[in-house]
C-alpha cells in the first residue's frame, strides 16, 4: 500500500497554507545566489500544488511574496517578479487541466502592471474551475490587511451602514482577504525558522 493510499481523506485538512520562506538562506548555505533558492522554491511549489490536487485538498494558500519583501534589493525583487510571471504563464495550462481555480490576496496594486495583467488573466480563465482553490498571497502583509479591515469597517460605521454595536467577529471576518475561504487547518512554514 502506497503512502497516498494510507491517508484517511475524511480526516484530511480542508485548507492548507504554506509560508514560503527560507529559499534565499537555503541557497546561501550552499554557496549559491539567493535567486538559485527562489528558482528551486518554484519547483517545490509545483510539487506542492500537484500533490495537493491529487489528494483533493479543497484549498491551498501559498504565502509567496510579503509586503516586507519589497524592501529586498531591487535585483532580487526583479528576479522574483520574473519568476512569478514565468510561473503564471507556464502553469496556466496545468491549472486548467487539473480543474484548479486561482485566486490572490494582498495588495495587487503594488505589483508591476505586466504581472497584474497575467495574474488577473489566469484568475479569469480559471474562475469556473471546481477543484482545488489555489490562493497566492502576493504583496501580502497581515498588518496591512488588518489596517484595511479597520478602515473599511470604520468607514461603514461613519456612513451609518453598520452600527458600532454590530461589530463582532463575523463582521471582521467578512472584511478579511480570506473571507470566502475556510479557516486554515494546517500551516507550514518551509524554512524551519520560528517567529
Amino acid at each position: 500500500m502506497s503512502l497516498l493510499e494510507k491517508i484517511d481523506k475524511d480526516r484530511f485538512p480542508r485548507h492548507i497554507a504554506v509560508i514560503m520562506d527560507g529559499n534565499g538562506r537555503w541557497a546561501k548555505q550552499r554557496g549559491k545566489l539567493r535567486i538559485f533558492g527562489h528558482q528551486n522554491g518554484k519547483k517545490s511549489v509545483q510539487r506542492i500544488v500537484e500533490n495537493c490536487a491529487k489528494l483533493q485538498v479543497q484549498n491551498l494558500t501559498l504565502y509567496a511574496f510579503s509586503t516586507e519583501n519589497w524592501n529586498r534589493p531591487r535585483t532580487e525583487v526583479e528576479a522574483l517578479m520574473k519568476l512569478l510571471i514565468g510561473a503564471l504563464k507556464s502553469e496556466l495550462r496545468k491549472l486548467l487541466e487539473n480543474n484548479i481555480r486561482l485566486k490572490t490576496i494582498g495588495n495587487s496594486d503594488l505589483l508591476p502592471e505586466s504581472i497584474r495583467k497575467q495574474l488577473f488573466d489566469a484568475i479569469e480563465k480559471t474562475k469556473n474551475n471546481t477543484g482545488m482553490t489555489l490562493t497566492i498571497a502576493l504583496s501580502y502583509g497581515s498588518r496591512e490587511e488588518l489596517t484595511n479591515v479597520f478602515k473599511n469597517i470604520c468607514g461603514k460605521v461613519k456612513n451609518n451602514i453598520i452600527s458600532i454595536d454590530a461589530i463582532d467577529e463575523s463582521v471582521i471576518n467578512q472584511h478579511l482577504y480570506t473571507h470566502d475561504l475556510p479557516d486554515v487547518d494546517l500551516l507550514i512554514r518551509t524554512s524551519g525558522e520560528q517567529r
Side-chain angles (χ1 to χ4, degrees):
M1 181 181 285
S2 74
L3 185 58
L4 287 177
E5 292 171 323
K6 292 179 182 178
I7 294 174
D8 180 356
K9 291 190 179 169
D10 293 330
R11 298 184 60 200
F12 206 75
R14 287 183 15 182
H15 188 176
I16 297 173
V18 181
I19 300 171
M20 298 168 12
D21 185 37
N23 293 327
R25 289 186 298 279
W26 176 86
K28 286 183 86 171
Q29 289 170 352
R30 286 154 180 76
K32 306 280 187 181
L33 296 174
R34 291 177 59 84
I35 192 60
F36 177 77
H38 298 308
Q39 290 165 338
N40 279 277
K42 178 184 166 197
K43 294 173 189 172
S44 294
V45 165
Q46 289 168 325
R47 288 193 304 272
I48 290 168
V49 172
E50 287 172 14
N51 285 314
C52 283
K54 280 181 193 172
L55 290 167
Q56 299 174 341
V57 171
Q58 294 173 13
N59 296 278
L60 173 63
T61 299
L62 302 175
Y63 289 87
F65 189 87
S66 72
T67 51
E68 292 83 13
N69 289 157
W70 290 114
N71 297 324
R72 291 182 176 188
R74 197 176 115 234
T75 54
E76 185 176 357
V77 170
E78 288 173 354
L80 286 166
M81 292 297 121
K82 281 184 182 177
L83 277 175
L84 176 59
I85 200 161
L88 287 168
K89 287 178 180 177
S90 66
E91 299 301 312
L92 178 58
R93 182 180 55 79
K94 287 182 185 175
L95 294 175
L96 292 168
E97 287 173 0
N98 291 296
N99 196 27
I100 297 171
R101 181 171 60 130
L102 181 65
K103 294 180 59 171
T104 188
I105 58 172
N107 188 350
S108 57
D109 292 341
L110 297 177
L111 297 169
E113 185 177 339
S114 59
I115 291 177
R116 280 196 319 266
K117 183 179 182 307
Q118 193 72 41
L119 176 64
F120 291 121
D121 180 60
I123 290 170
E124 178 64 25
K125 287 179 177 169
T126 64
K127 73 179 182 182
N128 295 319
N129 288 352
T130 57
M132 181 176 75
T133 297
L134 171 61
T135 304
I136 303 177
L138 296 168
S139 193
Y140 171 84
S142 59
R143 289 180 179 97
E144 186 235 1
E145 178 180 18
L146 290 175
T147 300
N148 287 334
V149 166
F150 296 132
K151 283 181 180 179
N152 289 334
I153 293 172
C154 287
K156 288 181 178 181
V157 169
K158 181 180 176 184
N159 293 316
N160 295 317
I161 296 170
I162 60 173
S163 77
I164 198 162
D165 295 327
I167 299 172
D168 60 10
E169 187 177 324
S170 69
V171 170
I172 293 169
N173 284 339
Q174 291 166 15
H175 289 81
L176 293 173
Y177 293 149
T178 55
H179 66 274
D180 57 346
L181 293 172
D183 289 343
V184 171
D185 299 308
L186 175 63
L187 175 65
I188 300 166
R189 186 179 191 112
T190 59
S191 68
E193 295 273 319
Q194 294 188 9
R195 297 186 183 168

